[in-house]
Amino acid sequence: EVQLVQSGAEVKRPGESLKISCKGSGYSFSSLWIGWVRQMPGKGLEWMGIIYPGDSDTRYSPSFRGQVTMSADKSISTAYLQWSSLKASDTAMYYCARQDTNGPADYWGQGTLVTVSS
Amino acid sequence: SYELTQPPSVSVSPGQTASITCSGDKLGNKYACWYQQKPGQSPVLVIYQDSRRPSGIPERFSGSKSGDTATLTISGTQAMDEADYYCQAWDSSTVVFGGGTKLTVL
């Protein structure tokens, strides 16, 4: 069974750093892209970018390039999304999903809620 | 930047057919897919490659495309289908989501 399990909810202060994770199982994690999607409270889905765990090839949405960093450790089937300096506007639910290039996201993680507040 | 346009809301009576549209420039040359998201849950893929249904998705969900408009159709809509629906396509190696449509079953 394909599963993507994300790390737990986080509460942070503005300016702090954060790294959240997404662990895949039930398939060859290195061979398929992982995408990240932001959903701000009460809003729609926003695509942040994708990473290929096999070689860490990464493509960012123009809206998120320079704002976050995606990485992956194929040895432990885990992808990461990190911020160096959080802002209140980063408060959102973040989803990882197995993403086929030029295709759909067929499996999704349960989401990680990030709250940034002073 | 590329945009996909969906109606913000659609209402349907139980047992009737709901149609949700998604339009975008040259969408006819791209594959569209659709996700269902219920409150507090992760999105679920319900249609990919315009009209293909993943395993486990009920047959009442179907997809089609005409020109630059993709359509998600739910036949015999049930109360459990009340959710937000998002279309998605690829453009220039990036993923684009539509703004989402809230389907109300009343």
Side-chain angles (χ1 to χ4, degrees):
Chain A
E1 178 194 9
V2 174
Q3 281 194 310
L4 294 171
V5 178
Q6 298 185 231
S7 49
E10 302 275 1
V11 179
K12 292 290 189 180
R13 305 282 192 203
E16 292 185 330
S17 62
L18 176 64
K19 192 173 189 178
I20 63 175
S21 66
C22 169
K23 183 173 176 61
S25 61
Y27 75 102
S28 178
F29 186 79
S30 298
S31 304
L32 288 167
W33 295 78
I34 290 288
W36 288 94
V37 175
R38 182 176 79 174
Q39 188 168 37
M40 300 177 76
K43 301 299 183 182
L45 304 176
E46 298 176 89
W47 186 76
M48 303 175 73
I50 52 172
I51 184 166
Y52 188 75
D55 61 6
S56 291
D57 184 16
T58 308
R59 304 175 190 176
Y60 292 94
S61 161
S63 300
F64 290 93
R65 186 175 292 119
Q67 308 306 308
V68 296
T69 302
M70 297 175 192
S71 60
D73 184 342
K74 64 182 179 181
S75 70
I76 55 172
S77 301
T78 302
Y80 302 96
L81 181 66
Q82 68 181 80
W83 295 259
S84 59
S85 181
L86 286 160
K87 302 183 284 287
S89 57
D90 292 317
T91 294
M93 182 71 81
Y94 293 88
Y95 294 101
C96 66
R98 192 177 79 168
Q99 179 88 58
D100 189 13
T101 50
N102 289 311
D106 57 355
Y107 288 91
W108 292 66
Q110 82 277 20
T112 295
L113 180 62
V114 174
T115 303
V116 184
S117 173
S118 54
Chain B
S1 61
Y2 192 75
E3 293 184 357
L4 293 172
T5 301
Q6 300 180 232
S9 63
V10 169
S11 297
V12 63
S13 300
Q16 299 303 302
T17 297
S19 296
I20 300 172
T21 58
C22 171
S23 60
D25 186 43
K26 295 183 176 61
L27 183 59
N29 297 333
K30 311 174 193 295
Y31 278 133
C33 59
W34 292 90
Y35 303 93
Q36 175 194 69
Q37 187 181 33
K38 296 180 179 180
Q41 297 184 19
S42 301
V44 172
L45 178 67
V46 294
I47 294 290
Y48 67 102
Q49 289 183 6
D50 297 338
S51 59
R52 300 175 71 102
R53 199 171 49 246
S55 173
I57 300 301
E59 290 184 10
R60 65 180 181 274
F61 288 87
S62 63
S64 61
K65 194 165 65 179
S66 177
D68 292 334
T69 299
T71 302
L72 173 69
T73 301
I74 308 172
S75 305
T77 307
Q78 300 182 10
M80 68 172 66
D81 300 328
E82 187 163 286
D84 294 325
Y85 291 86
Y86 297 90
C87 61
Q88 180 238 294
W90 281 81
D91 179 73
S92 301
S93 299
T94 62
V95 167
V96 179
F97 287 105
T101 298
K102 181 175 183 60
L103 178 67
T104 301
V105 183
L106 41 67

